């Protein structure tokens, strides 16, 4: 394909890639993908409905959990429109505008997930280290401001990255190596100086992907210090038990996120299948696992789900 200028990019199409080496089996691979998408959509929708309908769950911890469920739902619905048509019907073309829209929402929701987990870590810190001031610190107004701050922080971060990439010309190959539009993948197709983009991407990694988990580790260091200073082993166990769901959610997000980032930066010559598998784990596993983790490990959510499903069955 010949070089494309910015004013011809309106008619430019990217070509998506499925699972390298398994193109003939895409229709069979679509079955587990469909199951994962269904579990994610149903699980997060049920969590949101349970928190909305159960007044006893209108507390800071569960309001943050509803933010996490909304973010997971957004992440799932962002990748589904390209992944399933590609696997089921081999629809590989995606327009320039649609690809950038998916890029914005995909990275936006991914960063929001990290920010929400940081907010949940702060919630756990206040609940355990300053229990007497918990309700006075985390009021509905404060939670609303935190939610708005998360949206602004992640929206502006991704918008800047989007505009920096959109101003550049794409040329040569227009083949993406995933079944959705990732920034790391799209920037490979640019035929111009990308130093500004690289430095901005590096700053973004430090600002969100590095800073968020460091602050989460700091909050748990303070939590652990507070727990160990309590006299009763029962209290220690109860406090750690209340944090377990959040710790698992943090691991489920950051392990694949770090793996994907490291692979794109330091293992560029690894087989394409490695990149695709890690990217799919990063985008599909957290939205699927978070509802399961909180349903199993949080008694109030588990009871709320039973109550919600029982009410639906009765009606």
């Amino acid at each position: 394909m010949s070089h494309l200028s910015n004013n011809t990019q309106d008619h430019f199409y990217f070509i998506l890639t499925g699972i390298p080496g398994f193109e003939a089996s895409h229709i069979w691979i679509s079955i587990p993908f469909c199951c994962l998408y269904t579990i994610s959509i149903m699980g997060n929708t049920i969590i949101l409905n349970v928190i909305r309908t159960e007044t006893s769950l209108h507390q800071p911890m569960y309001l943050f959990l509803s933010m996490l469920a909304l973010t997971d739902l957004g992440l799932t619905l962002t990748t589904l429109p390209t992944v399933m048509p590609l696997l089921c019907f081999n629809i590989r073309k995606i327009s320039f505008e649609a690809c950038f829209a998916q890029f914005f929402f995909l990275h936006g929701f991914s960063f929001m997930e990290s920010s929400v987990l940081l907010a949940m870590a702060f919630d756990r810190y206040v609940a355990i280290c300053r229990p007497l001031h918990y309700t006075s610190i985390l009021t509905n107004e404060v939670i609303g401001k935190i939610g708005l701050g998360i949206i602004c922080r992640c929206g502006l971060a991704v918008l800047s990255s989007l505009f920096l990439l959109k101003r550049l010309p794409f040329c040569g190959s227009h083949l993406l190596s995933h079944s959705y539009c990732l920034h790391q993948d799209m920037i490979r197709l640019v035929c111009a100086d990308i130093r500004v983009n690289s430095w901005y991407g590096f700053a973004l990694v430090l600002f969100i992907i590095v800073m968020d988990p460091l602050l989460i580790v700091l909050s748990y260091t303070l939590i652990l210090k507070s727990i160990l200073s309590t006299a009763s082993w029962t209290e220690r166990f109860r406090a750690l038990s209340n944090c377990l769901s959040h710790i698992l959610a943090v691991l489920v997000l950051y392990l694949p996120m770090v793996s994907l980032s490291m692979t794109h930066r330091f293992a560029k010559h690894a087989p394409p299948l490695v990149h695709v598998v890690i990217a799919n784990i990063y985008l599909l596993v957290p939205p699927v696992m978070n509802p399961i983790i909180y349903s199993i490990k949080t008694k109030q959510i588990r009871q709320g789900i039973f109550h919600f499903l029982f009410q639906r069955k009765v009606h």
Side-chain angles (χ1 to χ4, degrees), residues 37-46 48-49 66-80 109 113 286-288 290-291:
Y37 277 121
T38 303
I39 292 168
S40 174
I41 291 169
M42 288 184 64
N44 287 296
T45 302
I46 289 172
L48 284 168
N49 275 290
S66 67
M67 289 184 197
L68 185 66
L70 273 172
T71 303
D72 283 334
L73 202 55
L75 196 57
T76 298
L77 295 175
T78 298
T79 58
L80 188 149
F109 282 121
E113 181 132 355
V288 170
N290 286 336

Side-chain angles (χ1 to χ4, degrees), residues 36 43 56 69 130 146 269 302:
L36 290 172
S56 61
R130 302 188 64 184
I146 290 173
H269 302 294
R302 192 165 60 247

Side-chain angles (χ1 to χ4, degrees), residues 24-25 27-28 50 66 89 97 157 175 180-181 205 295 297 301:
S25 305
I27 192 67
W28 296 107
V50 166
S66 67
F89 308 109
E97 295 84 0
L175 180 67
Y180 31 74
C181 301
V205 166
S295 299
K297 300 303 298 179
I301 292 292

Side-chain angles (χ1 to χ4, degrees), residues 14 169-176 185-191:
F14 290 110
F170 290 86
C171 56
S173 171
H174 54 286
L175 180 67
L176 297 173
D185 200 14
M186 295 168 69
I187 202 166
R188 292 186 304 105
L189 308 181
V190 170
C191 52

